[in-house]
Amino acid sequence: MTTGLWDRETFVENFRAIGERAYHDKHPFHIAMNAGRLSAEALRGWVANRFYYQQNIPIKDAAILSNCPVREVRQVWIHRVIDHDGSAVAEGGIEAWLCLGEACGLSRDEMMQDRHLQPGVRFAVDAYVNFARTQLWPIAVASSLTELFAPDLMTARLAAFEKFYPRIDSRGLDYFRQRTSQARRDSDEALAIALKYCNTPELQREAVRALEFKCDVLWSMLNAIHHAYAGNC
Amino acid sequence: MTTGLWDRETFVENFRAIGERAYHDKHPFHIAMNAGRLSAEALRGWVANRFYYQQNIPIKDAAILSNCPVREVRQVWIHRVIDHDGSAVAEGGIEAWLCLGEACGLSRDEMMQDRHLQPGVRFAVDAYVNFARTQLWPIAVASSLTELFAPDLMTARLAAFEKFYPRIDSRGLDYFRQRTSQARRDSDEALAIALKYCNTPELQREAVRALEFKCDVLWSMLNAIHHAYAGNC
């Protein structure tokens, strides 16, 4: 095993290898979802629990902003908070996810009050926020690189929902549509930052480990959701 | 001494009383500055040291964002980070302060590298950032309420600089011009948030104490600057 600095291609390849092995599109619950095998209740359970993740994304990204002393990086990063929180001129991802929940039969109140939140999901999401707060900011940036794999997942998910869950109003799927392009831009930005600032052998390896950690967060969420709603699928 | 919940007027009055007693416009260095008694070197020392504060403001505001679970508050707060960092469409406060420094004869490099930074200034600013990171977010919001007193200070400072330090190019003073109106809007927003979310007797008193702490930060910075550059004024 080499201990030196990876060239750019090797570094990127090591990120991609994590995704191929550990990204949550390979989780049994996600496979069942995209194969149309989830009950309406299981789907609602997934949407309601994943909402806790969505709510915490701007908190996580603001933590990265707050840990980063490089103004140019903050200038690139800040739109993520606005993309999820929304602004006076545009609804954000959190609002879009609430619409998805409503299209699945959940009320805003039960989502906002975390009424369906599973302890294992809270645990995993809180661990992710805590990671972003406490790690070096280039490492926290690297942990967001699951976005490298998100556009393909979003495209497949959108097609699966339209095919297998036709009772969900198509407007409820806008979050997936938005994220397909947003995730591509976001991962380009995050990858450029990670490649530039994870600039020692140690930081490179920590960055890859951070992406693995993030995959574990997403995987653990699905474990908890699977256990609660779809033990038999 | 009452121990109950203050009404709105009393709460605001208690904030204002702190400013009247402890805001840094009453510091001997600030009085000397506005009376035209500073040497060019002392003025440069102030500008270079205050730059460390300016650089840390978006870090502090991102910490508040990251600690705040209320989306509506984050939507209001986030422009502060952009106002200082700047964006693709507008230069921010940090850039405006660099221009002030150049107009005073400092180079960008010596400011960016903190070459003139006094330990007491670093200590005070770092304590402020740490306060924002670790306190409850409504209390951290309250600590920003020195903005209540900033418009008057900026107006007086602008007039003093134009009168007493004519060698500083007028464009270098744009930061003060921008902040006169920005601070009014910002303090309106912060006051509304503090009044709403500091909603117990304990939080109200902590909020007033937070504003006092913030005045101590600004005062300590001027102590360190006074000591380093203007012991005789």
Side-chain angles (χ1 to χ4, degrees), chain A residues 61 76-77 79-80 83-84 141 144-145 147-148 179 181-193:
Chain A
D61 283 315
V76 169
W77 204 257
H79 71 75
R80 290 167 175 259
D83 289 345
H84 282 88
V141 164
S144 76
L145 283 173
E147 288 159 352
L148 285 170
R179 285 304 297 170
S181 54
Q182 281 181 356
R184 196 163 284 123
R185 176 206 52 189
D186 290 1
S187 65
D188 286 348
E189 292 170 356
L191 187 61
I193 293 169

Side-chain angles (χ1 to χ4, degrees), chain B residues 54-73:
Chain B
Q54 303 301 137
Q55 284 181 293
N56 277 281
I57 291 300
I59 306 268
K60 179 271 294 183
D61 283 316
I64 292 175
L65 277 182
S66 180
N67 285 332
C68 175
V70 183
R71 181 168 45 138
E72 294 71 24
V73 171

Side-chain angles (χ1 to χ4, degrees), chain A residues 151-171:
Chain A
D152 290 349
L153 173 128
M154 290 291 170
T155 304
R157 188 186 282 165
L158 192 56
F161 270 62
E162 288 175 336
K163 180 172 176 188
F164 295 119
Y165 309 105
R167 294 182 62 175
I168 300 175
D169 189 289
S170 176
R171 280 167 299 178

Side-chain angles (χ1 to χ4, degrees), chain B residues 111-133:
Chain B
M111 285 184 276
M112 292 300 291
Q113 295 165 7
D114 298 329
R115 248 184 266 165
H116 302 278
L117 181 56
Q118 298 296 319
V121 171
R122 179 163 50 207
F123 184 80
V125 171
D126 290 356
Y128 184 37
V129 173
N130 191 47
F131 186 90
R133 280 201 211 289

Side-chain angles (χ1 to χ4, degrees), chain A residues 34-104:
Chain A
N34 276 10
R37 285 191 275 116
L38 291 191
S39 67
E41 189 219 349
L43 205 56
R44 274 198 299 276
W46 175 74
V47 170
N49 274 274
R50 173 88 189 185
F51 183 61
Y52 187 69
Y53 176 84
Q54 302 301 138
Q55 283 181 294
N56 276 282
I57 291 299
I59 304 269
K60 179 270 295 181
D61 283 315
I64 293 175
L65 278 182
S66 181
N67 285 333
C68 174
V70 184
R71 181 167 47 138
E72 294 71 25
V73 172
R74 292 197 303 266
Q75 286 171 337
V76 169
W77 204 257
I78 195 165
H79 71 75
R80 290 167 175 259
V81 179
I82 299 166
D83 289 345
H84 282 88
D85 276 344
S87 67
V89 296
E91 299 285 11
I94 291 175
E95 178 59 30
W97 197 273
L98 284 165
C99 292
L100 169 64
E102 290 180 315
C104 293

Side-chain angles (χ1 to χ4, degrees), chain B residues 148-166:
Chain B
L148 285 170
F149 324 119
D152 289 349
L153 174 129
M154 289 294 170
T155 305
R157 188 186 281 164
L158 192 56
F161 270 62
E162 287 176 337
K163 179 171 176 188
F164 294 118
Y165 309 105

